[in-house]
Amino acid sequence: MKLLFRSYLASLRERGELDAILPDLLSELGYHVYSRPQRGTAQAGVDIAAVGLDDDGKKKVFLFSVKQGDLTRQSWNDGSAQALRPSLDEILDNYIPNRIPKRYQKLKIVICLVFGGDMQEQVRGTVNGYTRRNSTKKVSFDEWNGDKLAGLLLQGVLREEIMPKALRSHFQKSVSLVDEPDIAYRHFSRLVRELIGLANNDKAKIRTARQLYIATWVLFVWARDIGNVEAAYQASELLLLNLWDLVRPLIGKKRSAAGKAITLVLHYAIRMHLAIASELVERKILPHVGIKDGIAMAIQGRSSADINLKLFDTLGRIALTGLWVHWLVERYTDESARVEARLKIAQFTELGFKLINNNRALFLPLQDQHGIEVAMFLLFVTAVNGNRHDAHAWLREMVNRLSYSIRTHGKYPCVFLEYRALVAHPRERTEEYRKEATAGSILIPILEVFLSALESKESLEKLVDLKTKELAHCTLQVWLPDISSEDNLYKGVHDHGVSLTDVPLSLTGNELVSLVKNACDETEGYASLSAIVTGYWPIIMTACRHHRMPIPPQMWIDIVYDPSIEAAHKG
């Protein structure tokens, strides 16, 4: 296990990775972290600052300067401001005289040289000379290399009384099997479930949150090294949902130290999730979206079903990542970070439409359930840039293909969930089989309401005609959360919420939009969801994508609802 951690630490990047896990590790070990890494602010050489006990049990200030990988001549002092020696100089000349909080100024200081690998021998003499020369009665230096950090991880995160051997086994298997994402995720989800079950008080909840956060980082770094971050992506979504489930009972409680601590872990977990998503989207998908059928060919599925399923899954991930970035924009205080985030959002919308136009399987899902991804992408596009033209073209072609495939008994969207049934679909080209495969639909109502907002008369006529003739048996449904959803949505329990069934289709779509709007206004539950109350609405989207629940219509109704049409309809 220590070798696993050492390899992991050596692979961590300096910014946003090694300096991201270290504060939580220090907190777990009993240090009080009073300064964390910040973007866009001068930190005077200190990445992390904490107060804790040294090996002799004496309380001291620990100042950490973090560097990536091995400490070499170049990373020690290559003349750049990013080298370690200039950072140490800045700590001695600026941070210690001017920035240590008043309540800690009488304490002795330990400057910690942190790097995920080892100190190379050719630089050790130089470093030792520097530290001896600058050590005083008040200031000392300490080396925190990969070996020490790995030992601290074992001591703080995986100690026996916290994580029994059975759970360690799940963790090790999830890491060692990252090239088999489904198996790795299964072991990781078991680890999550078992650890959450042990969190029976506030202190245990904080510890569990930190453990799961660091465990997900380990999984991600190993997955990144082998070039397959699928398991890490799924694990990071599961982490977000479980962290939210831990923190939501503490929301609103004044002076809740546990709530603040878990929320802090949640914020870093969101950034980690976006790092994983960016690794997947920007490195694996972006380079190939401009190539005709480039992503479809890269999937290398055994059947067309594999390609269709993976393409819609990918589209949903692009949309959800974009929505998370959109949510983060308003929380950035650094203007340059806001500009960078807005550019990324624009890139993701362009990426999504390039993916659609160059991979034609995205013009019709194989599963009706992929109405989740369709709604998510439409919500993302309309929320961030209102690209009505491309959205309209996509939906119009989807209706054309839907109509043709159902009437010719082709590969139309079906209600089946099992992989074997999807690969064999359509198993029969008969009316009886088609009725079974299209018993219900959440996709068609989504198409209706967005086409209504786009005033697409021809496509609406085709949908109505299709429903009247070939799909008269199909139960059109819209799902809404209710008061029981708060305790079930984040955990993936499906038995909650209310459903509007047999919703109407019309040549304008106004009747369906009005019906959904009234249901949203009258149904209790959505407004009281903790993620909505606190403004963390992307958590809802994450839960719906991960646990396969429809997107609540409250999230898109204001985009498609026109009050003037409603007033005219009543008149």
Side-chain angles (χ1 to χ4, degrees), residues 162-183:
I162 295 174
M163 189 179 284
K165 287 183 179 179
L167 296 189
R168 290 192 187 193
S169 175
H170 287 300
F171 175 57
Q172 287 173 303
K173 288 176 181 176
S174 65
V175 172
S176 62
L177 293 169
V178 286
D179 55 342
E180 296 287 347
D182 290 342
I183 300 174

PDB file of all heavy atoms in Angstrom, residues 162-183:
ATOM      1  N   ILE A 162      -9.789   2.792  11.380  1.00  0.00           N
ATOM      2  CA  ILE A 162     -10.716   3.559  10.544  1.00  0.00           C
ATOM      3  C   ILE A 162     -11.118   2.772   9.303  1.00  0.00           C
ATOM      4  O   ILE A 162     -12.292   2.658   8.972  1.00  0.00           O
ATOM      5  CB  ILE A 162     -10.082   4.902  10.135  1.00  0.00           C
ATOM      6  CG1 ILE A 162      -9.870   5.775  11.369  1.00  0.00           C
ATOM      7  CG2 ILE A 162     -10.959   5.629   9.132  1.00  0.00           C
ATOM      8  CD1 ILE A 162      -9.128   7.052  11.083  1.00  0.00           C
ATOM      9  N   MET A 163     -10.135   2.231   8.597  1.00  0.00           N
ATOM     10  CA  MET A 163     -10.430   1.480   7.385  1.00  0.00           C
ATOM     11  C   MET A 163      -9.956   0.034   7.565  1.00  0.00           C
ATOM     12  O   MET A 163      -8.784  -0.270   7.386  1.00  0.00           O
ATOM     13  CB  MET A 163      -9.748   2.112   6.161  1.00  0.00           C
ATOM     14  CG  MET A 163     -10.202   1.486   4.847  1.00  0.00           C
ATOM     15  SD  MET A 163      -9.438   2.241   3.381  1.00  0.00           S
ATOM     16  CE  MET A 163     -10.364   3.768   3.271  1.00  0.00           C
ATOM     17  N   PRO A 164     -10.871  -0.854   7.910  1.00  0.00           N
ATOM     18  CA  PRO A 164     -10.514  -2.259   8.099  1.00  0.00           C
ATOM     19  C   PRO A 164      -9.925  -2.861   6.824  1.00  0.00           C
ATOM     20  O   PRO A 164     -10.095  -2.329   5.727  1.00  0.00           O
ATOM     21  CB  PRO A 164     -11.862  -2.911   8.442  1.00  0.00           C
ATOM     22  CG  PRO A 164     -12.716  -1.788   8.945  1.00  0.00           C
ATOM     23  CD  PRO A 164     -12.267  -0.577   8.197  1.00  0.00           C
ATOM     24  N   LYS A 165      -9.255  -4.022   6.982  1.00  0.00           N
ATOM     25  CA  LYS A 165      -8.579  -4.648   5.855  1.00  0.00           C
ATOM     26  C   LYS A 165      -9.527  -4.946   4.700  1.00  0.00           C
ATOM     27  O   LYS A 165      -9.149  -4.855   3.534  1.00  0.00           O
ATOM     28  CB  LYS A 165      -7.882  -5.926   6.308  1.00  0.00           C
ATOM     29  CG  LYS A 165      -6.629  -5.681   7.137  1.00  0.00           C
ATOM     30  CD  LYS A 165      -5.935  -6.983   7.504  1.00  0.00           C
ATOM     31  CE  LYS A 165      -4.662  -6.708   8.310  1.00  0.00           C
ATOM     32  NZ  LYS A 165      -3.983  -7.958   8.703  1.00  0.00           N
ATOM     33  N   ALA A 166     -10.776  -5.319   5.024  1.00  0.00           N
ATOM     34  CA  ALA A 166     -11.741  -5.626   3.965  1.00  0.00           C
ATOM     35  C   ALA A 166     -11.980  -4.412   3.077  1.00  0.00           C
ATOM     36  O   ALA A 166     -12.094  -4.525   1.851  1.00  0.00           O
ATOM     37  CB  ALA A 166     -13.053  -6.096   4.581  1.00  0.00           C
ATOM     38  N   LEU A 167     -12.037  -3.221   3.683  1.00  0.00           N
ATOM     39  CA  LEU A 167     -12.250  -2.004   2.900  1.00  0.00           C
ATOM     40  C   LEU A 167     -10.985  -1.613   2.156  1.00  0.00           C
ATOM     41  O   LEU A 167     -11.052  -1.097   1.030  1.00  0.00           O
ATOM     42  CB  LEU A 167     -12.711  -0.862   3.809  1.00  0.00           C
ATOM     43  CG  LEU A 167     -14.072  -1.054   4.497  1.00  0.00           C
ATOM     44  CD1 LEU A 167     -14.499   0.233   5.182  1.00  0.00           C
ATOM     45  CD2 LEU A 167     -15.136  -1.494   3.508  1.00  0.00           C
ATOM     46  N   ARG A 168      -9.839  -1.828   2.766  1.00  0.00           N
ATOM     47  CA  ARG A 168      -8.577  -1.553   2.055  1.00  0.00           C
ATOM     48  C   ARG A 168      -8.503  -2.383   0.785  1.00  0.00           C
ATOM     49  O   ARG A 168      -8.005  -1.931  -0.242  1.00  0.00           O
ATOM     50  CB  ARG A 168      -7.388  -1.883   2.952  1.00  0.00           C
ATOM     51  CG  ARG A 168      -7.189  -0.963   4.123  1.00  0.00           C
ATOM     52  CD  ARG A 168      -5.831  -1.230   4.739  1.00  0.00           C
ATOM     53  NE  ARG A 168      -5.641  -0.473   5.974  1.00  0.00           N
ATOM     54  CZ  ARG A 168      -4.468  -0.331   6.564  1.00  0.00           C
ATOM     55  NH1 ARG A 168      -3.401  -0.898   6.047  1.00  0.00           N
ATOM     56  NH2 ARG A 168      -4.352   0.367   7.678  1.00  0.00           N
ATOM     57  N   SER A 169      -9.011  -3.600   0.862  1.00  0.00           N
ATOM     58  CA  SER A 169      -8.991  -4.485  -0.301  1.00  0.00           C
ATOM     59  C   SER A 169      -9.799  -3.899  -1.443  1.00  0.00           C
ATOM     60  O   SER A 169      -9.371  -3.928  -2.600  1.00  0.00           O
ATOM     61  CB  SER A 169      -9.534  -5.862   0.089  1.00  0.00           C
ATOM     62  OG  SER A 169      -9.627  -6.702  -1.042  1.00  0.00           O
ATOM     63  N   HIS A 170     -10.968  -3.345  -1.128  1.00  0.00           N
ATOM     64  CA  HIS A 170     -11.784  -2.710  -2.177  1.00  0.00           C
ATOM     65  C   HIS A 170     -11.047  -1.520  -2.784  1.00  0.00           C
ATOM     66  O   HIS A 170     -11.107  -1.294  -4.002  1.00  0.00           O
ATOM     67  CB  HIS A 170     -13.130  -2.260  -1.604  1.00  0.00           C
ATOM     68  CG  HIS A 170     -14.071  -3.392  -1.322  1.00  0.00           C
ATOM     69  ND1 HIS A 170     -14.504  -4.255  -2.302  1.00  0.00           N
ATOM     70  CD2 HIS A 170     -14.648  -3.803  -0.174  1.00  0.00           C
ATOM     71  CE1 HIS A 170     -15.316  -5.158  -1.767  1.00  0.00           C
ATOM     72  NE2 HIS A 170     -15.413  -4.900  -0.477  1.00  0.00           N
ATOM     73  N   PHE A 171     -10.373  -0.757  -1.927  1.00  0.00           N
ATOM     74  CA  PHE A 171      -9.623   0.397  -2.423  1.00  0.00           C
ATOM     75  C   PHE A 171      -8.490  -0.045  -3.345  1.00  0.00           C
ATOM     76  O   PHE A 171      -8.306   0.481  -4.446  1.00  0.00           O
ATOM     77  CB  PHE A 171      -9.082   1.188  -1.233  1.00  0.00           C
ATOM     78  CG  PHE A 171      -8.186   2.327  -1.610  1.00  0.00           C
ATOM     79  CD1 PHE A 171      -8.636   3.327  -2.453  1.00  0.00           C
ATOM     80  CD2 PHE A 171      -6.889   2.404  -1.133  1.00  0.00           C
ATOM     81  CE1 PHE A 171      -7.809   4.377  -2.807  1.00  0.00           C
ATOM     82  CE2 PHE A 171      -6.055   3.450  -1.482  1.00  0.00           C
ATOM     83  CZ  PHE A 171      -6.521   4.443  -2.318  1.00  0.00           C
ATOM     84  N   GLN A 172      -7.721  -1.032  -2.908  1.00  0.00           N
ATOM     85  CA  GLN A 172      -6.604  -1.520  -3.713  1.00  0.00           C
ATOM     86  C   GLN A 172      -7.083  -2.089  -5.045  1.00  0.00           C
ATOM     87  O   GLN A 172      -6.477  -1.863  -6.091  1.00  0.00           O
ATOM     88  CB  GLN A 172      -5.827  -2.595  -2.935  1.00  0.00           C
ATOM     89  CG  GLN A 172      -4.986  -2.025  -1.788  1.00  0.00           C
ATOM     90  CD  GLN A 172      -4.368  -3.123  -0.951  1.00  0.00           C
ATOM     91  OE1 GLN A 172      -5.072  -3.972  -0.415  1.00  0.00           O
ATOM     92  NE2 GLN A 172      -3.052  -3.100  -0.818  1.00  0.00           N
ATOM     93  N   LYS A 173      -8.188  -2.835  -5.012  1.00  0.00           N
ATOM     94  CA  LYS A 173      -8.710  -3.423  -6.240  1.00  0.00           C
ATOM     95  C   LYS A 173      -9.213  -2.352  -7.202  1.00  0.00           C
ATOM     96  O   LYS A 173      -9.016  -2.461  -8.418  1.00  0.00           O
ATOM     97  CB  LYS A 173      -9.831  -4.414  -5.913  1.00  0.00           C
ATOM     98  CG  LYS A 173      -9.337  -5.702  -5.283  1.00  0.00           C
ATOM     99  CD  LYS A 173     -10.491  -6.610  -4.880  1.00  0.00           C
ATOM    100  CE  LYS A 173      -9.982  -7.877  -4.219  1.00  0.00           C
ATOM    101  NZ  LYS A 173     -11.096  -8.740  -3.742  1.00  0.00           N
ATOM    102  N   SER A 174      -9.848  -1.322  -6.675  1.00  0.00           N
ATOM    103  CA  SER A 174     -10.350  -0.254  -7.551  1.00  0.00           C
ATOM    104  C   SER A 174      -9.194   0.455  -8.249  1.00  0.00           C
ATOM    105  O   SER A 174      -9.291   0.813  -9.426  1.00  0.00           O
ATOM    106  CB  SER A 174     -11.194   0.751  -6.755  1.00  0.00           C
ATOM    107  OG  SER A 174     -10.404   1.442  -5.807  1.00  0.00           O
ATOM    108  N   VAL A 175      -8.078   0.624  -7.531  1.00  0.00           N
ATOM    109  CA  VAL A 175      -6.910   1.287  -8.119  1.00  0.00           C
ATOM    110  C   VAL A 175      -6.199   0.371  -9.114  1.00  0.00           C
ATOM    111  O   VAL A 175      -5.833   0.783 -10.221  1.00  0.00           O
ATOM    112  CB  VAL A 175      -5.940   1.754  -7.013  1.00  0.00           C
ATOM    113  CG1 VAL A 175      -4.641   2.263  -7.619  1.00  0.00           C
ATOM    114  CG2 VAL A 175      -6.585   2.838  -6.159  1.00  0.00           C
ATOM    115  N   SER A 176      -6.012  -0.873  -8.728  1.00  0.00           N
ATOM    116  CA  SER A 176      -5.249  -1.790  -9.581  1.00  0.00           C
ATOM    117  C   SER A 176      -6.012  -2.197 -10.840  1.00  0.00           C
ATOM    118  O   SER A 176      -5.409  -2.647 -11.814  1.00  0.00           O
ATOM    119  CB  SER A 176      -4.854  -3.041  -8.792  1.00  0.00           C
ATOM    120  OG  SER A 176      -6.000  -3.740  -8.356  1.00  0.00           O
ATOM    121  N   LEU A 177      -7.340  -2.007 -10.835  1.00  0.00           N
ATOM    122  CA  LEU A 177      -8.153  -2.426 -11.979  1.00  0.00           C
ATOM    123  C   LEU A 177      -8.731  -1.235 -12.742  1.00  0.00           C
ATOM    124  O   LEU A 177      -9.784  -1.352 -13.365  1.00  0.00           O
ATOM    125  CB  LEU A 177      -9.289  -3.339 -11.500  1.00  0.00           C
ATOM    126  CG  LEU A 177      -8.846  -4.705 -10.951  1.00  0.00           C
ATOM    127  CD1 LEU A 177     -10.002  -5.415 -10.265  1.00  0.00           C
ATOM    128  CD2 LEU A 177      -8.291  -5.582 -12.077  1.00  0.00           C
ATOM    129  N   VAL A 178      -8.038  -0.093 -12.716  1.00  0.00           N
ATOM    130  CA  VAL A 178      -8.576   1.098 -13.394  1.00  0.00           C
ATOM    131  C   VAL A 178      -8.683   0.903 -14.906  1.00  0.00           C
ATOM    132  O   VAL A 178      -9.436   1.615 -15.570  1.00  0.00           O
ATOM    133  CB  VAL A 178      -7.731   2.361 -13.100  1.00  0.00           C
ATOM    134  CG1 VAL A 178      -7.971   2.850 -11.703  1.00  0.00           C
ATOM    135  CG2 VAL A 178      -6.253   2.106 -13.357  1.00  0.00           C
ATOM    136  N   ASP A 179      -7.937  -0.054 -15.455  1.00  0.00           N
ATOM    137  CA  ASP A 179      -8.068  -0.313 -16.884  1.00  0.00           C
ATOM    138  C   ASP A 179      -9.280  -1.190 -17.192  1.00  0.00           C
ATOM    139  O   ASP A 179      -9.571  -1.474 -18.359  1.00  0.00           O
ATOM    140  CB  ASP A 179      -6.795  -0.972 -17.436  1.00  0.00           C
ATOM    141  CG  ASP A 179      -6.412  -2.232 -16.683  1.00  0.00           C
ATOM    142  OD1 ASP A 179      -6.909  -2.412 -15.546  1.00  0.00           O
ATOM    143  OD2 ASP A 179      -5.621  -3.028 -17.216  1.00  0.00           O
ATOM    144  N   GLU A 180     -10.002  -1.614 -16.146  1.00  0.00           N
ATOM    145  CA  GLU A 180     -11.300  -2.279 -16.274  1.00  0.00           C
ATOM    146  C   GLU A 180     -12.306  -1.413 -15.511  1.00  0.00           C
ATOM    147  O   GLU A 180     -12.668  -1.708 -14.373  1.00  0.00           O
ATOM    148  CB  GLU A 180     -11.247  -3.690 -15.684  1.00  0.00           C
ATOM    149  CG  GLU A 180     -10.319  -4.638 -16.401  1.00  0.00           C
ATOM    150  CD  GLU A 180     -10.870  -5.076 -17.753  1.00  0.00           C
ATOM    151  OE1 GLU A 180     -12.067  -4.847 -18.014  1.00  0.00           O
ATOM    152  OE2 GLU A 180     -10.097  -5.626 -18.552  1.00  0.00           O
ATOM    153  N   PRO A 181     -12.767  -0.316 -16.121  1.00  0.00           N
ATOM    154  CA  PRO A 181     -13.516   0.710 -15.387  1.00  0.00           C
ATOM    155  C   PRO A 181     -14.740   0.199 -14.633  1.00  0.00           C
ATOM    156  O   PRO A 181     -14.990   0.629 -13.502  1.00  0.00           O
ATOM    157  CB  PRO A 181     -13.917   1.699 -16.481  1.00  0.00           C
ATOM    158  CG  PRO A 181     -12.897   1.512 -17.552  1.00  0.00           C
ATOM    159  CD  PRO A 181     -12.544   0.068 -17.529  1.00  0.00           C
ATOM    160  N   ASP A 182     -15.512  -0.698 -15.223  1.00  0.00           N
ATOM    161  CA  ASP A 182     -16.727  -1.168 -14.557  1.00  0.00           C
ATOM    162  C   ASP A 182     -16.396  -1.911 -13.264  1.00  0.00           C
ATOM    163  O   ASP A 182     -17.063  -1.729 -12.230  1.00  0.00           O
ATOM    164  CB  ASP A 182     -17.529  -2.087 -15.485  1.00  0.00           C
ATOM    165  CG  ASP A 182     -18.148  -1.320 -16.645  1.00  0.00           C
ATOM    166  OD1 ASP A 182     -18.249  -0.085 -16.529  1.00  0.00           O
ATOM    167  OD2 ASP A 182     -18.513  -1.947 -17.655  1.00  0.00           O
ATOM    168  N   ILE A 183     -15.350  -2.730 -13.312  1.00  0.00           N
ATOM    169  CA  ILE A 183     -14.947  -3.487 -12.117  1.00  0.00           C
ATOM    170  C   ILE A 183     -14.354  -2.546 -11.071  1.00  0.00           C
ATOM    171  O   ILE A 183     -14.655  -2.644  -9.878  1.00  0.00           O
ATOM    172  CB  ILE A 183     -13.943  -4.583 -12.492  1.00  0.00           C
ATOM    173  CG1 ILE A 183     -14.564  -5.562 -13.506  1.00  0.00           C
ATOM    174  CG2 ILE A 183     -13.481  -5.343 -11.248  1.00  0.00           C
ATOM    175  CD1 ILE A 183     -13.594  -6.587 -14.041  1.00  0.00           C
TER     176      ILE A 183
END
